[in-house]
Amino acid sequence: RIEGSNFEIEYRQANTAVDLERAARELSALPVSVIFAPTPFSALAANRAQNTVPIVFAVVGDPVKSGMAASLSRPGGNATGLTAFGSDLGGKRLELLRELLPNLRRVGVLWNSDVADKQIE
């Protein structure tokens, strides 16, 4: 794929919450196929801006509590992505990593317990 030839990326940058909300509305008004939201703040802004364009978020602490999903089993809506929510998912994540890298023998985990529960909601 070659940007500008067979696909286009519409970039929007925001420095404040007000700018982020405005940028989300702008993107939602364009004929985009999907909105990628790499931060919890951008995911929530995109979700508030509209409900038709699919949103792919990189990480949202608790998608249900934040309003990005109705439930984990049946999220509904137009958003999907990754969450760090649920300590019981740690084993499953390692299983998936093992499937991707069958020769994996040692894994390091970096965690800051001071901020682990302070993700945006």
Side-chain angles (χ1 to χ4, degrees):
R1 297 196 181 265
I2 301 170
E3 185 178 359
S5 177
N6 56 6
F7 78 96
E8 293 180 35
I9 298 176
E10 290 286 344
Y11 295 96
R12 295 295 185 275
Q13 180 177 343
N15 295 320
T16 68
V18 172
D19 289 344
L20 190 59
E21 296 289 335
R22 178 194 43 78
R25 287 191 303 275
E26 284 179 17
L27 279 178
S28 299
L30 296 173
V32 295
S33 300
V34 66
I35 295 174
F36 173 64
T39 70
F41 296 108
S42 59
L44 293 170
N47 198 42
R48 283 190 294 268
Q50 53 80 42
N51 62 2
T52 55
V53 178
I55 301 166
V56 177
F57 53 84
V59 174
V60 170
D62 183 341
V64 176
K65 196 171 185 181
S66 69
M68 295 295 297
S71 73
L72 292 179
S73 60
R74 297 200 185 276
N78 61 316
T80 189
L82 301 174
T83 179
F85 178 69
S87 58
D88 56 328
L89 296 176
K92 182 50 105 177
R93 290 183 181 121
L94 283 174
E95 283 180 38
L96 290 171
L97 186 59
R98 180 71 181 205
E99 283 182 36
L100 290 170
L101 303 166
N103 294 327
L104 183 69
R105 295 291 175 253
R106 296 177 74 183
V107 175
V109 177
L110 183 61
W111 186 260
N112 183 340
S113 60
D114 290 339
V115 296
D117 296 327
K118 295 180 177 94
Q119 296 183 23
I120 187 170
E121 298 178 0

